[in-house]
Each structure stands twice: as structure tokens, then as C-alpha cells.
Amino acid sequence: MEFPKFLLGDNTDFPDAIFVIHTEFPRFIINLENDDVEWLEDFDQHDQKELELEAENLIQQASNFYDREIERYEE
């Protein structure tokens, strides 16, 4: 099964949370309410360096995805 790069997540146990799930490597879930990130990968030292370089960019992409989705809902 093929998934889009980003998915929106919702859960009534966290009514104020806005979850964006990144489905490609490195997979993560970010809560845009408080910018908490949960990585769904195990990283070694080599991966850690790559992750640090890419993390800011990926988190910005997740935020942009959310903004785009909200704009589409409002149309």
C-alpha cells in the first residue's frame, strides 16, 4: 500500500493536539500544538548527524502540509 508523505492525525483523548505523521524515512509524528516530535526510527550515530541536518526541514514541511490542508478545508 502506498501512503502520502504526510497524514493528519486526530484523537479525542488529546482534543487540542494537531498531529502530522511523516510516513517516509525518517518517520515521525509531530504535535503542532507544542512541537513535540516522536521519531518512529532507531538511529545510530551516523544517522543522528543526518537527522539533525534534515529535521528542521522536515518539521517545516509538516507545518506547511498542515497549513495547506486547512486552507483546502476552508475553501
Side-chain angles (χ1 to χ4, degrees):
M1 177 184 301
E2 191 172 328
F3 294 106
K5 184 174 182 174
F6 292 103
L7 299 169
L8 288 177
D10 187 24
N11 188 303
T12 57
D13 292 333
F14 302 91
D16 296 326
I18 302 166
F19 297 107
V20 176
I21 302 100
H22 182 252
T23 63
E24 298 175 358
F25 184 84
R27 295 172 305 144
F28 65 87
I29 300 172
I30 183 171
N31 180 350
L32 296 178
E33 174 195 21
N34 56 19
D35 292 334
D36 281 347
V37 176
E38 180 71 30
W39 298 99
L40 304 175
E41 310 286 355
D42 292 324
F43 301 106
D44 61 23
Q45 262 188 333
H46 174 352
D47 291 337
Q48 188 70 28
K49 291 176 185 176
E50 181 181 336
L51 176 64
E52 289 171 2
L53 294 173
E54 187 63 21
E56 185 176 340
N57 182 42
L58 289 171
I59 291 168
Q60 184 60 51
Q61 286 180 31
S63 181
N64 292 345
F65 163 77
Y66 173 76
D67 291 343
R68 185 194 77 184
E69 291 298 298
I70 292 305
E71 284 179 18
R72 288 179 176 177
Y73 284 124
E74 292 174 351
E75 290 178 355

